[in-house]
């Protein structure tokens, strides 16, 4: 089968009350349209055509890397008219799959089933049964159960409105007959639009078989027209992701409180606590424990590592059996080897930290190479920025950095050496030695602790000081 996918994405989305075109509204950190394009791409089509209209320049700019062909619809004259804009580009030998830029949760498995049903000369239609079909087109069947037409809500009789099976708008057919059916679509309706739903009755009238395929549920085909529906789709997406993670072996403290904004891959016996957010491509190896309120983006976490509460890991690689947090931050290009401890209020950026090293409290390690078995004391930092340039710090194996130390880069701390607490180190230190840098301690005779002044007295002191 040679497949062409047409994604209708020209709607303005007035009910969104947003300056952002509807198909660019974010779902799990990506535009609605991106989700549809990704699903369509997984089917291996010859081409994907996106029919755009309102905010077309904005949509194209935001999706400039998408593997699609853009088709303008200068006037928005209905869904049938939108599909007509793409049909001249599609060869007769192709099967055409029609999708929608505001229906982001449609599943590839469902679409494969629909395509398999679209045999030569037939029309395959995706339908779904819902508890409340109000507002949707009803699927009309004959006594034998064959699909005959779609009746819109406003045209349906009271009896027809009780039908629970509705039209999703998703369909597939060979290009040649679909092109002919579209030519017979008229505008004889109160909207004065070319409606794609009319194709069903036209195909039946032409003697073409019309086969209906049922979606897995209403959540899969829910369209987004306002922010309330956007929130519903987001909730459905979270539920879908949570289910996949649990089937893969992860334990979720609360499946309703996990936010996956990209691709999260998990090993066996991963535990994820509440309110964890995963962005981009994230891998959690077997036995990883993620505490509450953590954010992990585009990172790999090794087996057995514990990420404690309120930690942020962004574009980092973390080895096995590490301990991170709580309240730790790994910034881009942080690399931790096995059994590294990064404690509360410790920040690591563009630095590699060797196995079994520790920075347990209130430290900053940036643009650094840290060996194995190193201890970095509380309040110590690598002074890597001179106001114009970033400079490296090298801390060799087994070194110990005392609390409150400043390592002024570029500088090398020797293997097995010790930096005394409170030192400012601006020159390389030798291996195995104690290095200190401290000013002389003074006790001031006659000094008195400041007392609390009355407001008038305080103002008088300020006035005198400012007149000097």
């Amino acid at each position: 089968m040679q497949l062409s996918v047409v994604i209708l994405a020209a709607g303005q989305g007035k009910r969104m009350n947003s300056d952002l075109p509807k198909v660019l509204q974010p779902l799990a950190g990506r535009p609605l349209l991106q989700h549809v394009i990704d699903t369509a791409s997984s089917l291996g089509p010859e081409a994907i055509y996106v029919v755009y209209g309102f905010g077309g320049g904005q949509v194209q700019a935001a999706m400039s890397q998408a593997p699609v062909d853009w088709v303008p619809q200068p006037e928005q004259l209905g869904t049938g008219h939108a599909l007509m804009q793409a049909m001249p580009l599609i060869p007769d030998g192709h099967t055409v799959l029609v999708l929608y830029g505001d229906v982001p949760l449609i599943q590839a498995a469902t679409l494969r089933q629909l395509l398999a049903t679209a045999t030569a000369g037939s029309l395959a239609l995706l339908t779904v049964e819902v508890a409340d079909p109000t507002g949707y087109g009803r699927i009309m069947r004959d006594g034998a159960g064959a699909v005959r037409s779609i009746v819109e809500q406003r045209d349906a009789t009271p009896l027809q409105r009780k039908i629970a099976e509705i039209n999703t708008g998703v369909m597939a057919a060979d290009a040649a007959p679909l092109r002919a059916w579209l030519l017979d679509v008229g505008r004889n309706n109160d909207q004065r639009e070319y409606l794609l739903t009319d194709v069903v009755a036209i195909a039946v009238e032409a003697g073409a078989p019309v086969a209906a395929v049922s979606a897995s549920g209403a959540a899969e085909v829910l369209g987004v027209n306002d922010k309330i529906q956007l929130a519903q789709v987001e909730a459905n997406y979270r539920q879908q992701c949570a289910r996949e993670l649990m089937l893969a072996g992860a334990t979720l403290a609360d499946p309703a409180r996990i936010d996956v904004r990209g691709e999260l891959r998990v090993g066996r016996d991963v535990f994820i606590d509440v309110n964890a957010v995963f962005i981009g491509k994230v891998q959690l190896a077997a036995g990883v424990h993620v505490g509450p309120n953590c954010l992990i983006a585009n990172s790999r976490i090794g087996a057995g590592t514990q990420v404690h509460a309120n930690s942020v890991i962004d574009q980092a690689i973390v080895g096995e059996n590490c301990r991170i947090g709580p309240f730790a931050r790994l910034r881009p290009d942080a690399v931790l080897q096995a059994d590294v401890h990064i404690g509360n209020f410790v920040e690591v950026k563009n630095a590699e930290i060797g196995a079994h090293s520790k920075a347990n409290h209130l430290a900053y390690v940036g643009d650094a190479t840290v060996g194995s078995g190193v201890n970095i004391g509380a309040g110590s930092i690598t002074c890597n920025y001179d106001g114009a340039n970033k400079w490296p710090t090298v801390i060799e194996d087994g070194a110990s950095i005392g609390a409150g130390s400043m390592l002024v880069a570029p500088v090398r701390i020797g293997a097995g050496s010790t930096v005394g607490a409170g030192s400012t180190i601006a020159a390389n230190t030798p291996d195995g030695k104690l290095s200190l840098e401290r000013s002389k301690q003074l006790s001031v005779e006659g000094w008195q602790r400041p007392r609390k002044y009355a407001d008038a007295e305080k103002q008088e002191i300020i006035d005198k000081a400012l007149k000097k």
Side-chain angles (χ1 to χ4, degrees):
M1 175 188 295
Q2 290 183 298
L3 175 64
S4 287
V5 178
V6 180
I7 302 174
L8 307 186
Q12 181 175 353
K14 292 181 180 179
R15 283 181 279 170
M16 283 289 179
N17 286 315
S18 172
D19 293 332
L20 200 63
K22 180 167 68 169
V23 295
L24 294 185
Q25 296 292 326
L27 168 63
R30 292 180 293 156
L32 294 173
L33 179 57
Q34 183 66 64
H35 290 266
V36 184
I37 291 173
D38 289 346
T39 301
S41 297
S42 72
L43 302 174
E46 301 296 320
I48 300 174
Y49 301 97
V50 176
V51 180
Y52 67 92
F54 177 81
Q58 194 174 354
V59 173
Q60 287 179 276
M63 309 291 295
S64 60
Q65 301 302 313
V68 302
D69 294 309
W70 298 96
V71 180
Q73 186 188 15
E75 292 184 272
Q76 280 73 68
L77 299 178
T79 51
H81 180 259
L83 181 56
M84 291 175 191
Q85 310 310 301
M87 291 305 297
L89 304 174
I90 301 174
D92 279 347
H94 283 212
T95 297
V96 179
L97 173 65
V98 181
L99 301 177
Y100 296 83
D102 60 355
V103 182
L105 299 188
I106 190 79
Q107 297 296 298
T110 301
L111 296 177
R112 290 190 184 97
Q113 184 181 357
L114 185 73
L115 291 169
T117 307
T119 55
S122 69
L123 174 65
L125 194 65
L126 187 66
T127 69
V128 68
E129 291 195 7
V130 295
D132 181 10
T134 302
Y136 295 98
R138 310 306 204 276
I139 301 298
M140 306 305 299
R141 296 176 180 266
D142 61 19
V147 175
R148 305 302 298 174
S149 65
I150 297 172
V151 176
E152 297 298 332
Q153 167 84 19
R154 62 185 173 276
D155 300 322
T157 66
L159 184 61
Q160 289 171 335
R161 291 183 180 184
K162 294 181 180 180
I163 296 173
E165 186 181 18
I166 64 169
N167 172 46
T168 69
V170 176
M171 61 178 61
D174 287 347
L178 180 58
R179 202 185 321 275
W181 300 333
L182 284 169
L183 290 176
D184 288 336
V185 173
R187 301 173 65 185
N188 187 25
N189 53 68
D190 57 3
Q191 296 170 281
R192 302 296 298 158
E193 292 183 346
Y194 299 96
L195 301 178
L196 189 55
T197 51
D198 291 348
V199 164
V200 176
I202 294 170
V204 171
E205 184 68 22
V210 177
V213 173
S214 296
S216 62
E220 182 181 6
V221 292
L222 181 63
V224 178
N225 294 300
D226 55 36
K227 294 296 178 66
I228 296 173
Q229 290 178 333
L230 182 62
Q232 291 172 339
V233 168
E234 186 88 41
N236 292 337
Y237 182 83
R238 283 197 299 269
Q239 185 179 31
Q240 174 185 313
C241 290
R243 183 177 185 276
E244 293 172 355
L245 290 170
M246 290 186 289
L247 288 174
T251 298
L252 308 183
D254 184 349
R257 288 191 284 171
I258 181 174
D259 202 343
V260 180
R261 304 175 187 174
E263 178 185 339
L264 173 58
R265 306 174 78 175
V266 298
R268 299 166 68 90
D269 299 315
V270 164
F271 177 83
I272 301 174
D273 215 323
V274 299
N275 301 327
V277 178
F278 300 92
I279 299 174
K281 292 187 177 182
V282 176
Q283 295 182 28
L284 305 180
V288 168
H289 185 292
V290 178
N293 308 313
C294 291
L295 187 153
I296 303 178
N298 297 300
S299 298
R300 301 202 310 266
I301 313 296
T305 286
Q306 297 186 33
V307 182
H308 294 293
N310 302 293
S311 294
V312 176
I313 301 176
D314 182 14
Q315 301 178 57
I317 298 174
V318 179
E320 297 180 354
N321 300 313
C322 291
R323 189 177 70 207
I324 300 169
F327 294 98
R329 184 184 182 193
L330 303 184
R331 290 172 58 191
D333 299 317
V335 178
L336 276 54
Q337 302 298 336
D339 190 35
V340 170
H341 294 181
I342 301 296
N344 48 287
F345 303 104
V346 175
E347 182 178 359
V348 181
K349 187 271 296 183
N350 189 32
E352 181 172 357
I353 300 182
H356 317 298
S357 291
K358 302 177 182 179
N360 279 327
H361 322 278
L362 299 154
Y364 171 68
V365 183
D367 297 290
T369 302
V370 179
S372 62
V374 169
N375 184 77
I376 298 176
S380 296
I381 71 170
T382 58
C383 305
N384 57 327
Y385 185 50
D386 64 5
N389 303 287
K390 298 289 183 70
W391 300 99
T393 297
V394 176
I395 304 175
E396 301 283 7
D397 294 348
S400 178
I401 310 300
S405 295
M406 307 290 110
L407 308 182
V408 183
V411 70
R412 177 184 296 272
I413 308 302
S417 67
T418 298
V419 172
S423 296
T424 298
I425 302 298
N428 296 344
T429 68
D431 295 350
K433 301 292 184 181
L434 170 65
S435 297
L436 296 171
E437 189 283 324
R438 294 175 182 166
S439 59
K440 183 179 180 180
Q441 182 171 313
L442 299 175
S443 296
V444 180
E445 296 291 338
W447 178 85
Q448 293 183 352
R449 181 173 294 171
R451 63 180 178 84
K452 183 76 172 179
Y453 291 101
D455 290 344
E457 189 178 11
K458 182 179 177 181
Q459 188 60 51
E460 183 179 353
I461 295 171
I462 293 172
D463 292 341
K464 288 181 179 179
L466 294 179
K467 290 178 181 178
K468 291 180 179 179

